[in-house]
Amino acid sequence: MTGAEAVDQVRRLRPGPLPRHVAIIMDGNGRWAEQRKRPRFFGHAEGAKAVRRVVTTARESNIEALTLYAFSVQNWARPQQEVACLMGLLFDYLGEERRTILDNGIRLQGIGEIDRLPGFVQKKLRSLERESANNEGMTLSLALSYGAREDITTACRRLATEVSEGRLRPEDITPERLGAQMMTKGLPPVDLLVRTSGELRLSNFLLWECAYAEIVVTDVLWPDFQESHFFECIDVFRSRSRRFGLTGQQVASIESVAGADRA
Ligand code: IPE
Ligand code: IPE
Ligand code: MG
């Protein structure tokens, strides 16, 4: 799909704001392969193609931040062969998509316990992070060896150290200060959280950042996820009424004032 077609596709949807930050739990690779009586590896390889599609589509749709759950801290406990296959695919992805990422002004970053990844993957990731650091088009965060509880714990430990060294008072700890210690610092909060393969759980993903995210679950297995599914998720997002704790009436009056200001 070209950039112009993507923009057109977005325009045809229900009008409304775009999510600034989209996060996706890319699930269902194994089941996709099992349905075809193929090894799980086959599903992961096909899933990597869906990653390429969604990154391009999100960029062309002017999404500010896209965060993809590629490998959780808990996924290390999978069979060693499967872990090795995922690391190999990640290495290939970073190599093959380098040009596309740089040419499209995408800033790429890894979030998670990156130093647990094999050296050859770390090297590739760090070099693309450096090369893309000044890009301003879209921030693509790959969650790798990522766990939200682990990230929150590390952030708390950092603030606790500051307190114990007398550099911070406990009463000065705010959600903003804690959030600024997390690996997602600088990104807007997640507006839209998508999970594929029909599972209704968060699996330790962005627990803090998703405080007010709209959650969309689709039965589509990740390797089958197409541009059209991405646009459908955006459309569902736009159909939601986000209230952030206010009443519907309050939200309506804020929106009408904002509408008048724009006119
Ligand atoms: C998601 O697909 C990819 C990773 C977790 C790395 P799964 O491998 O979890 O696929 P299912 O859930 O077994 O179908
Ligand atoms: C979540 O999927 C992790 C990723 C998509 C990388 P899992 O397949 O690991 O999650 P559970 O085990 O079903 O909760
Ligand atoms: Mg799974």
Side-chain angles (χ1 to χ4, degrees):
M1 182 178 301
T2 65
E5 281 167 347
V7 171
D8 218 46
Q9 179 77 271
V10 172
R11 281 212 191 102
R12 250 180 277 137
L13 301 171
R14 192 176 286 112
L18 270 183
R20 291 179 67 194
H21 187 171
V22 178
I24 308 182
I25 303 176
M26 310 182 292
D27 200 10
N29 293 351
R31 277 162 284 170
W32 187 91
E34 276 157 30
Q35 282 176 1
R36 287 159 181 77
K37 310 229 176 320
R38 304 293 294 265
R40 292 176 63 83
F41 167 80
F42 190 61
H44 293 312
E46 205 58 31
K49 295 184 193 163
V51 172
R52 291 163 212 243
R53 285 196 293 272
V54 83
V55 169
T56 308
T57 310
R59 173 69 191 102
E60 288 175 347
S61 307
N62 282 324
I63 300 295
E64 200 175 310
L66 176 69
T67 302
L68 302 176
Y69 205 7
F71 192 81
S72 72
V73 170
Q74 288 68 29
N75 288 149
W76 286 115
R78 289 193 179 193
Q80 212 195 328
Q81 235 188 346
E82 179 163 345
V83 171
C85 143
L86 287 164
M87 294 302 144
L89 284 170
L90 176 59
F91 179 81
D92 292 347
Y93 173 83
L94 294 169
E96 288 162 17
E97 293 306 287
R98 178 179 165 276
R99 226 24 292 158
T100 309
I101 286 171
L102 296 177
D103 290 349
N104 286 287
I106 297 170
R107 179 171 76 95
L108 178 128
Q109 63 171 4
I111 57 168
E113 301 168 344
I114 302 303
D115 51 9
R116 284 184 74 181
L117 301 177
F120 68 102
V121 177
Q122 281 188 48
K123 225 170 122 198
K124 218 155 199 114
L125 177 67
R126 292 307 186 202
S127 98
L128 192 47
E129 280 182 339
R130 271 194 303 275
E131 281 188 289
S132 68
N134 295 322
N135 286 349
E136 291 177 348
M138 175 177 87
T139 300
L140 170 61
S141 305
L142 296 181
L144 300 165
S145 187
Y146 175 84
R149 296 208 299 182
E150 288 75 2
D151 193 23
I152 295 168
T153 306
T154 307
C156 289
R157 202 176 294 137
R158 286 207 192 108
L159 292 187
T161 305
E162 287 189 37
V163 170
S164 72
E165 291 172 352
R167 290 185 284 126
L168 179 69
R169 294 181 310 169
E171 56 272 34
D172 290 334
I173 297 178
T174 58
E176 290 69 30
R177 218 182 256 268
L178 186 55
Q181 293 297 329
M182 287 187 207
M183 285 177 292
T184 49
K185 64 177 173 295
L187 298 177
V190 175
D191 295 305
L192 169 60
L193 174 70
V194 175
R195 184 162 189 153
T196 58
S197 88
E199 306 293 355
L200 299 172
R201 55 177 170 265
L202 296 174
S203 302
N204 203 16
F205 188 46
L206 302 177
L207 302 180
W208 175 271
E209 297 80 354
C210 283
Y212 268 102
E214 292 299 325
I215 301 174
V216 175
V217 173
T218 164
D219 286 336
V220 174
L221 301 176
W222 178 250
D224 287 329
F225 197 84
Q226 309 292 332
E227 285 94 341
S228 57
H229 298 117
F230 180 81
F231 293 124
E232 272 165 35
C233 292
I234 301 280
D235 204 20
V236 174
F237 171 81
R238 286 175 156 171
S239 74
R240 301 272 176 89
S241 166
R242 301 183 84 192
R243 290 192 282 278
F244 300 96
L246 303 182
T247 67
Q249 212 173 22
Q250 285 174 301
V251 172
S253 83
I254 292 167
E255 280 171 355
S256 77
V257 170
D261 283 351
R262 275 195 299 272

